[in-house]
């Protein structure tokens, strides 16, 4: 079954490189990035998990826990971990789920048979502290993900949850935002700095 934005992220129990977990308990109170990779001991995946390990401080600052999954076994994940450190320069510092029976992969619709085989494609789910799915991304097996973009989206989601604003195309933290249509321009001027009405429906403001 496909997962839509706003759905509750399916819960599961699984073995991971950090021990067995109940997913909702493991992420309790935190945001989570759950992402799948096709297979251990493959080049693109090794760079992706290395990059995620290197970004742990950035994720932690934002109250985000990361967790990877593939259909490989726990022994395989544990055997691969030293390569992730060799390539990324940082030891594996987040769990990888072993999903040989495909329970997690199927419940998150991570296996796309048209992509060649029964391994997982490169899915990403950003899940908020209430377990609501807030972003889904699906990349093909041949294309590594941009983890700066994943952090940018987390920043945008956390900002737009905290104030009546949206983020424009190519927004980066600190740049101007768009006032929500539900707010009048007069109210926006009282609340935000540098409000500029370009169209009645497009009002810029400095990032609150
Ligand atoms: C890789 O991680 O390099 C990879 C894995 C599966 C298919 C294609 C590339």
């Amino acid at each position: 079954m496909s997962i839509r934005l706003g759905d509750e992220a399916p819960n599961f129990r699984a073995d991971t490189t950090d021990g067995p977990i109940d997913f909702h308990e493991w992420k309790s109170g935190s945001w989570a990035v759950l992402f799948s990779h096709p297979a251990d001991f493959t080049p693109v995946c090794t760079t992706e998990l290395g990059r995620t390990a290197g970004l742990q401080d950035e994720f932690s600052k934002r109250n985000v826990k990361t967790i990877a999954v593939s259909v490989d076994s726990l022994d395989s994940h544990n055997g691969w971990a030293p390569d992730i450190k060799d390539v990324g320069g940082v030891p594996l510092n987040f769990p990888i789920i072993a999903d040989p029976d495909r329970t997690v992969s199927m419940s998150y619709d991570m296996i796309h048979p048209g992509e060649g085989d029964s391994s997982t494609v490169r899915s990403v789910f950003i899940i908020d502290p209430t377990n609501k799915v807030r972003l889904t991304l699906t990349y093909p097996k041949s294309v590594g993900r941009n983890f700066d973009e994943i952090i940018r989206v987390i920043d945008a989601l956390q900002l737009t949850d905290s104030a009546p604003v949206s983020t424009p195309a190519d927004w980066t933290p600190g740049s101007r935002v768009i006032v929500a249509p539900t707010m009048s321009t007069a109210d926006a001027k009282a609340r935000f700095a540098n409000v500029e009405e370009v169209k009645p429906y497009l009002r810029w403001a400095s990032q609150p």
Side-chain angles (χ1 to χ4, degrees), residues 11-205:
N11 196 23
F12 56 83
R13 290 171 190 276
D15 288 329
T16 80
T17 48
D18 288 354
I21 62 159
D22 172 290
F23 180 58
H24 285 182
E25 274 176 24
W26 171 81
K27 71 173 286 304
S28 175
S30 298
W31 291 73
V33 176
L34 168 67
F35 66 107
S36 55
H37 61 276
D40 298 350
F41 298 101
T42 53
V44 176
C45 302
T46 306
T47 63
E48 289 190 317
L49 273 77
R51 176 77 174 133
T52 306
L55 285 169
Q56 278 311 293
D57 287 350
E58 293 301 319
F59 285 116
S60 297
K61 265 196 259 176
R62 295 164 173 82
N63 187 30
V64 180
K65 295 174 96 171
T66 61
I67 189 162
V69 58
S70 79
V71 299
D72 296 295
S73 68
L74 200 52
D75 281 351
S76 169
H77 290 337
N78 285 325
W80 182 39
D83 290 1
I84 295 168
K85 179 182 175 212
D86 284 350
V87 170
V90 176
L92 181 67
N93 49 17
F94 61 93
I96 311 176
I97 297 163
D99 193 35
D101 64 4
R102 294 167 167 68
T103 306
V104 178
S105 311
M106 298 298 277
S107 70
Y108 280 84
D109 196 24
M110 292 164 162
I111 295 173
H112 298 195
E115 273 291 290
D117 59 25
S118 59
S119 65
T120 43
V121 293
R122 299 186 196 279
S123 301
V124 182
F125 295 87
I126 296 179
I127 303 164
D128 74 14
T130 71
N131 297 331
K132 194 185 275 194
V133 174
R134 302 294 300 276
L135 171 129
T136 64
L137 280 172
T138 310
Y139 277 62
K141 293 177 184 176
S142 57
V143 178
R145 285 159 284 202
N146 182 328
F147 288 82
D148 292 330
E149 167 62 2
I150 292 170
I151 288 179
R152 187 193 75 92
V153 174
I154 291 165
D155 284 338
L157 285 168
Q158 293 183 346
L159 172 65
T160 58
D161 281 0
S162 70
V165 296
S166 307
T167 56
D170 299 331
W171 176 84
T172 50
S175 58
R176 63 188 182 164
V177 298
I178 292 170
V179 177
T182 48
M183 186 175 233
S184 70
T185 300
D187 287 349
K189 285 183 172 163
R191 178 154 177 181
F192 304 122
N194 301 315
V195 173
E196 184 194 342
E197 187 176 290
V198 175
K199 299 280 178 194
Y201 56 84
L202 172 54
R203 287 87 41 87
W204 295 106

